[in-house]
Amino acid sequence: MPPPAAFRQAPPNGAAPPGVGFQAPGAGPPPMMPGAPATGGMPGGAPPMMMRPPGGPPGPGTMRPPPAMMPPPRMGAATPPGPAVMAPPTAQMSQMRVGAGGPPPIASTPAAGMTPLVPQPGAPVVGPTGVAMSNFNQMVPPGGLPRPTGPTAPPPGPPPGGPPIPPAIGRGPPTMKPPPAMNAHPGAVADGGYPLPAAPPPPTMHPQRTANGAVGPPPRTVGGYPTYPGQIPPSTNGMVPPPGAPGANQPTIQPRQQSSGGGQRIDPAQIPRPAHDPHAEPIRWDSRTQHGAAAHPPAASTSFIAVDRGCCNPRYMRSTMSTIPHTGELLASSGMPLSIMVQPLAIPSPEEDPIQVVDNGDQGPLRCSRCKAYMNPFARWLDHGRFQCNFCQATSECPREYMCNLGADGKRMDWQQRPELCRGSVEYAAPAEYMVRPPMAPALFFCVDVSLAAVQSGATTSAVEAIARTLDAVPEPARTLVGICTYDTVIHFYHVHEEMARPRMLVVPDADEPYSPLPAGMAVPLERNREAIDAVLKQIPEMFANNRHGAPVGTAAVKACVEALKPVGGRVLAFMGTQPTGGLGKLSNRAAQAPNVGAKEAEKEPLRYLAPADKIYTKLATEAAEYQVAIDVFLLAPAQYVDVASLGTLPRISGGTLYRYPGFNTQLDFAQLHNDLRWNVQRPQGLEAVMRVRASNGLGVADYGGFYCKRTPTDVDLPALDCDKAIACNLRYEERLNDGGEAYVQCALLYTTVRGERRIRVHTMAMPITSVLGNVFRAADLEAQTCDMIRKVSARLLGGSASIQNVKDQTITTTVNTLYAYRKFCASNNSTGQLILPEGLKVLPLYCLGLHKSPGMRADAHADDRAAWLLNGLCSPVKMCVPSVYPRNFPVHSLVDECAAEGTEFPPLPPVTWLSAEKLEQDGIYVLEDAREMLVWVGRQVPDAVLRETFGVDHVDHIQSNAAALKQLDTPRSKSLNAFVNCMRRMRSGYLRTRILRRGDPAEAHFYAKLTEDRNIAGMSYVDFLCHVHRLIQNKFQ
């Protein structure tokens, strides 16, 4: 089949993107020895932290065509990071709760009519003081320098003492023409590789190895910017490389020792793995250069400080590729998706400028007269009163009050004084025309399970105590409304009023058709009725201490609470200690009704239990969203099954949050419950919100994904939207785009603040357009594409009609198509016996394998574990998705040894190890963190002195494996470990429940299930999976 026209028209001197590759052995994965774990490699060096000079203000208009391509950069070892610099938290986090604090305001001078958007003074926020994540998407595999090629290369021949080693790493040709017309660039290199063995030997256990960690020469510079693998040179289509990328010289992957079978296999120490960011020094990143060119954003998992130069902070909007193809056919040929991950209320770094609030009075924000896009820095001003919209190219006039003369450069004279003209993110004070009713007040309606099982398990007491403590931290208590409801076999409302002598209990006996006992007034102001509310909460455990058996009516109680909030809107917080087996929406154990078949057969069966058991759940959540009521569900059930898939539908459609505490235990889980509830009411959030995403000519919005209610084709209804949720927006091509220009995407969020202010938050981003497929691969965002893959898998499985095998085939097809496109069009001058990986996506197979082994796709996963993981993945932002499929494993025993004498503060973070049992030392202590929980693994041979100073025990068998919290001992080792755990919690904006697991404990299987690189019941090892992917790519060439 002839290649697309775009490939034949590629410039003859264009540089193909660099890649990494290795020789995959044989035609099939080697058989596994029973009980033999897969091997892996040591993590690569951290990327260099580089500071770029701040650029100047952006200017309107389109970008010039790219000049001649620069020679592809050499690849090498990573440069070590600089000294640690990080703002300390505002308050110390304790074991019981996350330390309060929020991003402090950044000094700036707003223009008239504008105020800095900063957290309200006096309202502490539970969570991080900034966004600091680990870098997972950039890694340089260790190894030597590349071999020279071309006229000066030595003649080919077998190396001394071994078979010939074909090239393994190389850059593709300078163009994207078909192979017969390709000519290698003089600077292209192809290094290292492996011959195909006749018969791959079985994997064997190997002693621990260390990768070559030698630091290479300092990176070269091109045009004033450092070069590194996968860099987009400044001259390439206007894109500027992100700071903090791996080193300049690409290493050579060396083969492992010859096995007993006579063949050679891939050395696990040389295969790609995510780079680890120690967060030692944040990266400074300008969204536009001083010449107005776009800049490739840093990875979401890195610690960076974004400077808004006209394009919004990537924390708010992040694309799966920062440079997009000019046609839909070219996008399809790449095999990559085009999606935008929108997190409009994300928490910025404390060192970043706050979003400015603009108040234009009754005239409101300036918008295009045709497409209604909001004014942004990329609109072109024709004269003092007319501008051309960069979305639809229509010409509009501005009000007389907004007019201003243009300077010699074509810009308005006041462009630096108006945030909407110089910043990619801005917030407007909404005039009255944007309001259907006065802004709603925050309302919290607590619904507590008081059935016999909930009382006996401690769920009732824990919920009531957490509510009582959280009321002290509610922002705006004078405006906040609070209501209380309990349920067992019937529903109880508590009517509280400041003029009443004592609260009244109103009982709703009809659980099949629940209702609110009063048409209004069930939620009362917190500040004026605090004493009465505290009295009710104190009496609830006593009133129902001797409750009787009966079917709990939890879903009916939620329905009644929604009815009570319809006049005012708000949020229902339901604490369920048991499965609702009575009344409206009663549930049963659907997972037990699944056919009892083997793991292989189970993967082929549709997971029907992941869809809601009753249509009433979808109907109830949609009805709640129509009345601006969000539903949060706290599952405190000690039982194994409560039907999370059905109950999770309530927060999924209404914009709420699902909290699950499997095997709930009061002593172990109360601290997390309290912190989750406190952060739920204190985090930055918007009420009665409506969001719309617009794209420039040639692009359109295909669909959305996440926790929302969609009642119209173009808008997303969000009764509540918080800083921890992201909405995915999938784009489609409607016409051919202008090569060399820019495409624009704008997100507009109309919402009400907790203080009762109606606001419009606008984020605008620009993406260069190219006809060169190599530029698209250079601009690929690995973490955003992984997030998109997780969201699509979650949405498909939660529909209840897909099987595990279906989604596995879907993810493998996406991965293979992407790598095949790169191999075919960007690196076709290399041998088909080599697996060539694009630099920006070289760990995509690893993340695909991690997704297969996650609870969402494991065949042996519990039904509720699977549903909870999928629901979480459907709304998580980019920075939280990668850890869920490839966690971080920290060897903290070396950390304690180094810091025991003086203690330490974090970050910087300690290094990480491979996710393989081979890297676990029996005398070591490890902390595995996946953004949702932390597992502390203790080896059998840890010295007794270390155990006493760290855990307060004399022998490893004395460790309580079901303990949730580390002991806070007055020893340096204990203080260091607790400081590290608290640092992880601050970075993740959550408590992260902790479990201590010793070697040989039955619960240890939970830890080993997260070791992605080992072969287990959930899938093959990482090395075998790479071989499998390589075979699939080779099959597409045949």
Side-chain angles (χ1 to χ4, degrees), residues 1014-1026:
D1014 286 346
R1015 184 171 184 177
N1016 51 34
I1017 190 175
M1020 61 187 73
S1021 68
Y1022 181 27
V1023 172
D1024 293 342
F1025 187 74
L1026 280 176

Side-chain angles (χ1 to χ4, degrees), residues 739-760:
D739 183 18
E742 285 187 326
Y744 306 97
V745 179
Q746 186 178 82
C747 166
L749 178 72
L750 174 64
Y751 73 103
T752 301
T753 67
V754 177
R755 296 184 294 274
E757 301 166 336
R758 197 68 172 159
R759 297 285 180 82
I760 307 171

Side-chain angles (χ1 to χ4, degrees), residues 63 237-241 286-289 292-296 322 742 766-768:
M63 297 168 51
N237 207 40
M239 288 297 294
V240 174
D286 292 349
S287 63
R288 307 283 286 187
T289 68
H296 185 69
S322 56
E742 285 187 326
M767 298 178 291

Side-chain angles (χ1 to χ4, degrees), residues 348-426:
S349 169
E351 300 181 37
E352 295 173 351
D353 292 339
I355 297 179
Q356 298 293 324
V357 179
V358 180
D359 190 354
N360 290 333
D362 294 336
Q363 73 180 24
L366 182 60
R367 305 178 66 179
C368 174
S369 58
R370 178 191 291 178
C371 67
K372 300 303 179 182
Y374 291 83
M375 175 54 62
N376 60 86
F378 304 102
R380 188 166 67 94
W381 285 89
L382 306 177
D383 52 37
H384 67 286
R386 295 184 307 141
F387 67 93
Q388 185 180 39
C389 176
N390 57 304
F391 284 87
C392 67
Q393 307 303 317
T395 301
S396 305
E397 295 184 357
C398 67
R400 181 179 298 272
E401 298 82 1
Y402 204 88
M403 292 183 179
C404 180
N405 294 329
L406 304 184
D409 57 356
K411 300 180 182 179
R412 288 173 55 110
M413 301 294 290
D414 63 345
W415 72 275
Q416 290 182 320
Q417 284 72 43
R418 291 186 176 273
E420 67 271 24
L421 300 181
C422 63
R423 295 194 175 189
S425 297
V426 67

